[in-house]
């Protein structure tokens, strides 16, 4: 207590000196909001709270422009609110090697093997190596691979039965959708799914969200010894995270490894185990067990909430646009029919349905801000100096609703992604390039095709098998993204629907 009291009088002096020195050194920073010493705490705890950070950044962008700078104590941050600026900063050859790293943090050091993973990994040779292993693993077992497609169909059947069991009564779709996506993840990792595996995946993600809460992260980054103090929130949460982490890795890695057979690929874990053998030198693999485990945890962390909230946002949108829902149903009935369930490859011929998914990603912007990156050296960008170790926030929310790019940005219009023949715009088209939901540059999501296929399979199956109806009180959930809730990843508030079975499910 004496130490804390002693530090209080000198802390403002240290902060003022640090800020004066940094301000003097960097006189050519981008414009942005200026905070006084006494307003900084309010900014951190209120304006930059994760439930509304995208709205705060949108407000600042309107005041200061699509490239802005702000400073919290001695830490620099820039915000990119334009898709074109984000691509230039993060994906151009001129800048990408210096703008795609991660800051050293407690989570990366103590939870993720000293940042030797993908999501929390620092940009460099080690990070690039892990991405190549994940890419090779997904090629061996993932989107488009026949054995994966067959395994995924079992989860589609599970989803239909789960919703049939609601028997036209009001139900909250979120728990079912979340479990279905968890099942897809389990299938990706090991080729099968179960209630136990699904629960472990969901428990792990819930615990991850607790550990990335700003007050916990800030305290642990500054005072990592807090994890050793018994009875504190920090000690309890660190133990909880380690316990569920160990349980998940035991289920998905250790047990899979114990039954591994080199001639059979049951899932991504088997593919990684095979790569360990193929890329070994002198009896030692270039892909360590901890790195393989990190890929597993990254696959779970990067997939569950993003795909779940994407599906829920799409359901909210199509239920608020009857013409859109009717067009999707007609397209699905004509191209798939009722003799079989949808599969991933169907997306290529369902142009309007594909456009609905793209428009959902843009309109809802459920990944409202990309995970923060940082610069590794001083750079000159757009005529300004960006200091080393500056945090980079991509404001997806503003980029996806930029009136200079999108006609009627707050209107849900899937047709904007179709050409004059009603075909989906190619991936190279400028509008599709401006969708930032799966990241850009060296850190773009390698599971993009899988994520889109999971959203597609869920939506197409629901529409093929059921008439989606408002709840008994007749009130539809708003599809306006301004009403979304969440931290970091946002989505519609809890809502109820009914589902009338159309009678085409194959037993």
């Amino acid at each position: 207590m004496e130490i804390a009291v002693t530090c209080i009088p000198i802390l403002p002096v240290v902060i003022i000196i640090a800020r004066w020195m940094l301000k003097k050194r960097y006189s050519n920073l981008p414009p942005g909001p200026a905070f006084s010493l006494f307003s900084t705490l309010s900014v951190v705890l209120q304006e930059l709270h994760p439930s509304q950070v995208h709205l705060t950044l949108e407000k600042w962008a309107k005041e200061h422009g699509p490239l802005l700078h702000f400073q919290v104590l001695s830490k620099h941050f820039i915000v990119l609110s334009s898709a074109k600026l984000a691509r230039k900063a993060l994906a151009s050859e001129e800048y990408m090697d210096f703008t795609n790293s991660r800051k050293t943090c407690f989570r990366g050091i103590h939870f993720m093997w000293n940042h030797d993973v993908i999501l929390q990994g620092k940009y460099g040779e080690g990070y690039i190596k892990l991405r190549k292993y994940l890419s090779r693993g997904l090629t061996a077992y993932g989107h488009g691979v026949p054995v994966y497609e067959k395994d995924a169909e079992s989860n589609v059947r599970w989803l239909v039965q789960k919703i049939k069991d609601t028997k036209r009564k009001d139900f909250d779709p979120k728990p079912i959708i979340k479990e279905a996506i968890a099942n897809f993840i389990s299938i990706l990792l090991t080729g099968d799914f179960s209630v136990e595996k699904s629960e472990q995946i969901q428990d792990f993600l819930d615990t991850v969200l607790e550990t990335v809460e700003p007050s916990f992260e800030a305290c642990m980054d500054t005072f990592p010894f807090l994890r050793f103090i018994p009875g504190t929130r920090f000690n309890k949460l660190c133990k909880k995270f380690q316990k569920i982490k160990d349980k998940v890795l035991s289920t998905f890695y250790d047990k899979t490894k114990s039954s591994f057979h080199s001639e059979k690929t049951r899932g991504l874990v088997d593919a990684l185990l095979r790569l360990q053998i193929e890329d070994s030198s002198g009896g030692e693999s270039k892909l360590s067990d901890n790195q393989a485990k990190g890929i597993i945890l990254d696959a779970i962390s990067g997939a569950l909430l993003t795909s779940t909230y994407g599906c829920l946002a799409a359901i909210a949108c199509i239920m608020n646009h009857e013409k859109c829902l009717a067009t999707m149903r007609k397209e699905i009935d004509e191209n798939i029919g009722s003799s079989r369930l949808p599969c991933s490859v169907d997306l290529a011929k369902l142009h309007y349905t594909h456009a609905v998914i793209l428009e959902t990603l843009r309109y809802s912007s459920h990944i409202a801000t990309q995970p923060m990156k940082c610069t590794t050296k001083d750079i000159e960008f757009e005529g300004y100096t960006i200091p080393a170790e500056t945090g980079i926030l991509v404001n997806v929310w503003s980029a996806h609703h930029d009136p200079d790019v999108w006609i009627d940005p707050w209107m849900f219009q899937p047709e904007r992604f179709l050409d004059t023949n009603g075909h989906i715009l190619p991936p190279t088209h400028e509008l599709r390039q401006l969708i930032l939901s799966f990241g850009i540059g060296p850190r773009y999501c390698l599971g993009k095709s899988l994520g889109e296929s999971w959203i597609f399979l869920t939506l197409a199956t629901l529409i093929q098998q059921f008439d989606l109806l408002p709840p008994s009180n007749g009130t539809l959930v708003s599809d306006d993204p301004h009403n979304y809730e969440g931290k970091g990843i946002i989505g519609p508030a809890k809502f109820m629907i009914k589902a009338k079975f159309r009678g085409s499910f194959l037993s």
Side-chain angles (χ1 to χ4, degrees), residues 13-14 29 68 90 136 216 218 321 338-339 371 373 413 477 484:
V13 177
V14 172
L29 297 168
L68 65 89
L90 302 173
R136 290 167 65 186
F216 178 85
H321 296 81
S338 60
S339 62
K373 304 166 185 67
Q413 296 178 342
V477 62
Y484 284 4

Side-chain angles (χ1 to χ4, degrees), residues 316-328:
C317 287
I318 62 177
M319 291 195 68
N320 277 275
H321 296 81
E322 293 184 8
K323 182 179 178 181
C324 171
L325 180 57
T327 302
M328 289 179 70

Side-chain angles (χ1 to χ4, degrees), residues 159-454:
L159 175 63
V160 175
Q161 189 59 54
K162 197 76 174 179
I163 296 179
K164 275 189 68 178
D165 290 344
T166 63
K167 298 178 179 179
R168 294 186 64 178
K169 295 180 181 178
D170 294 353
F171 71 97
D172 176 3
K174 183 176 180 178
I176 297 177
I177 299 297
K178 189 176 181 182
E179 187 173 355
I181 300 298
N183 290 342
F184 277 128
I185 296 172
S186 179
I187 290 168
L188 173 66
L189 295 175
T190 61
D192 62 11
F193 65 94
S194 65
V195 173
E196 178 189 13
K197 288 183 175 181
S198 175
E199 289 178 347
Q200 287 185 15
I201 287 173
Q202 295 180 70
D203 288 346
F204 175 73
L205 247 296
D206 291 341
T207 308
V208 167
L209 290 178
E210 291 185 70
T211 65
V212 298
E213 196 275 325
S215 64
F216 178 85
E217 277 199 310
C219 287
M220 297 309 295
D221 286 346
T222 308
F223 309 110
F225 62 83
L226 290 173
R227 69 188 187 280
F228 298 122
I229 302 179
T232 63
R233 174 199 175 204
F234 309 101
N235 176 262
K236 291 178 180 178
L237 188 50
C238 286
K239 287 183 175 180
K240 178 182 177 182
F241 180 88
Q242 193 61 50
K243 183 178 180 181
I244 184 61
K245 170 185 165 184
D246 290 344
K247 184 183 291 186
V248 166
L249 291 176
S250 173
T251 297
F252 289 98
Y253 188 77
D254 297 336
K255 291 181 180 179
T256 305
K257 187 174 184 178
S258 66
S259 58
F260 171 69
H261 192 288
S262 60
E263 295 182 1
K264 185 177 182 181
T265 302
R266 297 165 295 179
L268 177 61
V269 177
D270 275 350
L272 294 175
L273 292 171
R274 180 172 291 104
L275 290 173
Q276 281 187 322
I277 297 172
E278 293 175 356
D279 291 2
S280 60
S281 177
E284 184 175 345
S285 175
K286 296 178 183 178
L287 177 66
S288 70
D289 279 350
N290 284 345
Q291 289 172 332
K293 291 176 181 179
I295 289 175
I296 293 170
L297 298 183
D298 284 344
I300 295 173
S301 301
L304 181 59
L305 287 182
T306 55
S307 297
T308 299
Y309 279 87
C311 286
L312 293 172
I315 292 171
C317 287
I318 62 177
M319 291 195 68
N320 277 275
H321 296 81
E322 293 184 8
K323 182 179 178 181
C324 171
L325 180 57
T327 302
M328 289 179 70
R329 180 179 293 115
K330 182 174 184 292
E331 182 178 64
I332 290 169
D333 286 348
E334 290 179 351
N335 288 275
I336 300 177
S338 60
S339 62
R340 64 174 179 84
L341 291 168
C343 59
S344 297
V345 295
D346 289 324
L347 181 60
K349 57 187 176 184
L350 298 178
H351 300 282
Y352 187 82
T353 301
H354 196 170
V356 167
I357 294 172
L358 293 177
E359 178 67 345
T360 297
L361 295 176
R362 184 205 68 82
Y363 176 73
S364 70
S365 296
H366 62 285
I367 306 173
T369 56
Q370 290 181 6
M372 187 183 297
K373 304 166 185 67
C374 74
T375 55
T376 55
K377 72 169 191 176
D378 291 2
I379 61 173
E380 297 298 317
F381 183 73
E382 294 292 293
Y384 298 102
T385 299
I386 310 298
E389 293 296 311
T390 292
I392 302 174
L393 285 165
V394 176
N395 184 5
V396 177
W397 174 269
S398 288
H400 282 179
H401 301 101
D402 184 348
D404 293 333
V405 175
W406 307 97
I407 299 173
D408 297 325
W410 293 106
M411 295 289 289
F412 184 77
Q413 296 178 342
E415 293 79 8
R416 71 175 82 238
F417 291 104
L418 299 174
D419 64 18
T420 55
N421 296 317
H423 293 163
I424 195 73
L425 297 177
T428 54
H429 192 280
E430 182 183 15
L431 285 185
R432 290 191 62 176
Q433 289 287 305
L434 297 179
I435 297 292
L436 306 178
S437 300
F438 291 97
I440 50 178
R443 300 198 87 107
Y444 83 92
C445 179
L446 288 172
K448 176 179 179 293
S449 294
L450 279 167
E452 286 186 340
S453 75
W454 293 344

Side-chain angles (χ1 to χ4, degrees), residues 33-53:
F35 307 128
S36 69
L37 174 64
F38 302 102
S39 67
T40 297
L41 184 61
S42 172
V43 171
V44 174
L45 296 181
Q46 296 180 35
E47 291 201 60
L48 292 181
H49 191 275
S51 65
Q52 61 181 26
V53 65

